[in-house]
Amino acid sequence: MVGGIFGRDWFKELPTPTHWLTAFGLIAAALGFAYAFSRVTEARTQELRDFLRAARIPLMRRDAAAARALD
């Protein structure tokens, strides 16, 4: 993609302001995506913990019942 914008031998040239703007723009886009992704996933952490805790209790009861049946 970068080769299509700047030409095939863009990496052999000295950086121009366009190169710097592109680099910082890509960095800003990556940080923005990472921030948005963290907001979506971190906002649901408590819900996931509650779900896992609720699922663990019945499993532990089944495991205890199975252990008693084996005795």
Side-chain angles (χ1 to χ4, degrees):
M1 183 172 135
V2 174
I5 295 170
F6 296 122
R8 276 183 82 163
D9 295 329
W10 66 272
F11 58 91
K12 295 178 184 177
E13 300 173 10
L14 292 174
T16 63
T18 306
H19 290 100
W20 287 107
L21 286 172
T22 303
F24 286 122
L26 290 172
I27 291 169
L31 289 173
F33 177 79
Y35 177 75
F37 185 77
S38 74
R39 295 300 297 166
V40 170
T41 57
E42 293 296 323
R44 304 199 190 287
T45 301
Q46 192 59 44
E47 293 173 18
L48 178 62
R49 285 182 184 158
D50 293 342
F51 172 76
L52 291 174
R53 284 187 184 121
R56 183 178 63 180
I57 293 171
L59 289 175
M60 289 173 51
R61 288 183 188 149
R62 256 187 289 171
D63 291 342
R68 280 191 298 257
L70 293 176
D71 289 337

